[in-house]
Amino acid sequence: MRATVRESTSGPSQHASAALGPAASDSWPNHQQVMTGLGVNANVHSWHDGELKPAIDRIAELGDVTWRVIIDRADWEVEENPDNPQVIDWGRYTSIYETGKMADLWDTIGYINSKPGQEVMVNVMGGVPPWMGGTQIEENKEDQWVRMIASMVAYGRSVRGVDFTLLGPLNESDWNGIEGPQVGPEQYTRLLRKLILRLDELGLSDMRLVGPDTASASRAVQDYLPELEKDALVMSRLAHFAIHSYDGGAAGTADAIRQTGSQPGPAEEPDFWVTEYAGPCPGCDSGAPNPTDWSSAASSAAQALSLIEQGASGLQQYDAWDGYYEHHESMGFWGLLAYDEATGKYAPRKTYFVLRQLIQYIPRNAVRISAATNHPDCRIAAFYDKSSGRITLFGYNSSDQMAEVTFTLPGLPQTVQLSTYETDRNRNMEAGQATALINAETTYKAAPNAVFTMTGIMSKG
């Protein structure tokens, strides 16, 4: 879960174009910032015997969603098991994994799995049991931690049959011991190695890890990445290098990964995810509903553009829905969907429509392509999906004035008819006037302080 304070990390200019170099018309597009994980964080404590199903339905409607499904806290093994940590007593663990929040975890993932196009990553959030160290993982308890995490993965996959191959085993280990246990870079790398070997022993060699999920992007780059790079096995099983950012800064993560000898992820370019990002939400960690619905949503859009400009291949918005967090001992109100406790119903906030404009027309594995704007207040990022031929532009007009802006997509080989959608303080993904990309350019009138999407399918041949 997010920490309440972040250092300021400088990002690109607010008016920077999404320029990645010209694309040759005979091989367009010619670069590979592959969008591998656009989605949300999702707290399983809200399952409530299936009450959550309509909320999952609504989030799945966003498109190809990558879900960072959160189990909170990491304390389900309440009493220490004195047996050899290399042995898993499944009789003991069955009683743990078939009750309470662990049962909610499987039910939540199972329902997400039933929706087409959805991908699940499990994230373990919050402190560990007191006997293990509480706000830290004591060195002589590391093997017990490995058994706890590995048994959870094995039970879900092999016994409950839920589908996930991505795991974020620790959360914000550079922070305060509340969001996750305090684990330094050396111990973090050692724990991941032990966990990988144990998962392999359990026949789960297809599991890939996502991390370090630090609160500070700069610490991820400066402290954790150098230690991870020393271990070839860990790097080979790191699907996505992951940071958190609540200010739109990525601390040079893409460049840092590029300089390593082994890059995580399948993309040609360095692959990193921002597994938590969101606009400001004062009090939302401590039981106060979001008082700034539209400004928070607009800030989320601006942050998404900044992080994409800095090379992020994945963004998981915090949070899918309002819900109780054990490690804060309060309701959290970051949700795209607001929860009404009296009725048990969910209703979309502005951030829902902003994120829908980003995800709905950018299928998983679409690539970012070159795009430029001639207006200082209109930012844009453009994407191409090879399988469908879809071109999508996602942008934000941060000014208080209508902006007539020209967008250029160098190397675009043909005319593309574009549908348009806008979300602002008063409208929710409202369809606008159609336009077209002709000779790699289109002119568009963006409403004041509005998020907009322009999308269309290239003709075949």
Side-chain angles (χ1 to χ4, degrees):
M1 194 172 187
R2 80 174 299 275
T4 55
V5 180
R6 291 286 188 269
E7 84 264 19
S8 176
T9 45
S10 59
S13 164
Q14 293 296 302
H15 311 314
S17 71
L20 296 177
S25 60
D26 60 348
S27 60
W28 182 87
N30 69 345
H31 52 78
Q32 292 292 304
Q33 184 182 344
V34 183
M35 305 311 294
T36 51
L38 298 175
V40 296
N41 286 254
N43 180 358
V44 306
H45 283 299
S46 298
W47 177 252
H48 294 165
D49 295 322
E51 181 185 80
L52 189 61
K53 287 181 179 181
I56 293 174
D57 294 342
R58 197 71 189 259
I59 298 296
E61 290 173 0
L62 294 171
D64 289 350
V65 177
T66 294
W67 300 72
R68 186 182 186 236
V69 176
I70 296 166
I71 184 67
D72 168 53
R73 301 175 175 133
D75 63 352
W76 56 87
E77 195 168 340
V78 177
E79 296 181 357
E80 182 174 5
N81 181 354
D83 296 340
N84 182 347
Q86 301 305 315
V87 176
I88 297 177
D89 179 353
W90 287 113
R92 180 178 193 273
Y93 282 101
T94 296
S95 63
I96 294 173
Y97 291 133
E98 288 296 340
T99 58
K101 67 185 181 184
M102 305 310 294
D104 290 345
L105 175 65
W106 316 132
D107 289 339
T108 300
I109 296 175
Y111 192 70
I112 293 170
N113 288 163
S114 73
K115 304 296 177 180
Q118 310 304 293
E119 179 183 48
V120 170
M121 163 178 55
V122 172
N123 172 255
V124 183
M125 189 175 285
V128 297
W131 63 263
M132 195 180 286
T135 59
Q136 60 183 329
I137 299 173
E138 295 174 3
E139 189 170 346
N140 65 349
K141 305 296 185 184
E142 288 182 358
D143 291 341
Q144 283 93 327
W145 177 86
V146 170
R147 177 175 57 188
M148 183 178 73
I149 301 298
S151 67
M152 180 266 291
V153 174
Y155 195 89
R157 285 278 303 273
S158 302
V159 179
R160 292 298 296 262
V162 295
D163 181 15
F164 67 98
T165 56
L166 294 174
L167 173 67
L170 290 160
N171 180 67
E172 296 195 349
S173 296
D174 61 324
W175 202 240
N176 56 11
I178 298 173
E179 309 290 343
Q182 293 174 319
V183 175
E186 184 178 346
Q187 186 185 29
Y188 181 86
T189 304
R190 184 170 65 248
L191 287 170
L192 262 55
R193 165 173 273 275
K194 289 182 176 183
L195 180 59
I196 290 166
L197 294 173
R198 194 62 188 277
L199 290 171
D200 288 351
E201 290 173 0
L202 292 167
L204 296 166
S205 59
D206 62 339
M207 289 299 301
R208 294 294 183 267
L209 304 183
V210 178
D213 278 325
T214 52
S216 163
S218 61
R219 283 216 64 195
V221 170
Q222 296 169 13
D223 300 334
Y224 285 80
L225 181 58
E227 282 297 326
L228 289 166
E229 188 185 1
K230 293 176 184 178
D231 193 312
L233 173 64
V234 172
M235 285 297 286
S236 73
R237 295 286 286 274
L238 194 65
H240 310 283
F241 190 78
I243 62 172
H244 295 175
S245 176
Y246 286 84
D247 64 3
T253 300
D255 288 340
I257 298 173
R258 189 178 290 113
Q259 293 168 12
T260 66
S262 53
Q263 296 176 0
E268 295 176 17
E269 287 292 304
D271 183 292
F272 77 92
W273 284 5
V274 183
T275 48
E276 289 186 26
Y277 83 101
C281 191
C284 288
D285 274 344
S286 54
N290 191 342
T292 56
D293 193 13
W294 170 242
S295 63
S296 179
S299 178
S300 289
Q303 288 185 31
L305 285 164
S306 288
L307 294 164
I308 289 168
E309 287 168 0
Q310 293 169 84
S313 294
L315 302 171
Q316 285 89 53
Q317 172 91 31
Y318 196 89
D319 202 359
W321 43 69
D322 296 347
Y324 183 82
Y325 276 92
E326 287 186 355
H327 70 279
H328 280 300
E329 298 181 344
S330 69
M331 282 287 292
F333 289 94
W334 293 86
L336 302 176
L337 303 177
Y339 178 65
D340 185 332
E341 191 170 359
T343 64
K345 305 295 184 182
Y346 291 87
R349 291 191 173 100
K350 285 291 183 178
T351 45
Y352 174 86
F353 298 101
V354 167
L355 196 64
R356 186 163 188 163
Q357 290 201 194
L358 176 66
I359 295 178
Q360 183 165 343
Y361 300 108
I362 305 174
R364 187 174 294 113
N365 296 321
V367 298
R368 182 175 168 227
I369 58 177
S370 300
T373 170
N374 69 344
H375 196 290
D377 295 320
C378 285
R379 303 171 66 186
I380 194 78
F383 307 89
Y384 170 64
D385 178 53
K386 184 177 181 180
S387 62
S388 64
R390 181 174 292 280
I391 300 288
T392 299
L393 294 83
F394 175 78
Y396 174 48
N397 175 16
S398 61
S399 75
D400 294 329
Q401 305 295 322
M402 179 76 72
E404 185 166 351
V405 55
T406 298
F407 300 117
T408 305
L409 277 66
L412 184 67
Q414 61 180 253
T415 297
V416 182
Q417 301 298 319
L418 299 174
S419 300
T420 67
Y421 304 90
E422 286 192 338
T423 295
D424 59 21
R425 189 179 301 276
N426 300 311
R427 298 176 298 156
N428 297 324
M429 203 171 173
E430 184 175 296
Q433 185 172 0
T435 184
L437 277 161
I438 302 173
N439 296 325
E441 287 190 355
T442 187
T443 299
Y444 179 70
K445 291 183 178 180
N449 197 24
V451 175
F452 56 89
T453 299
M454 310 166 72
T455 188
I457 304 291
M458 294 172 59
S459 62
K460 296 186 182 298

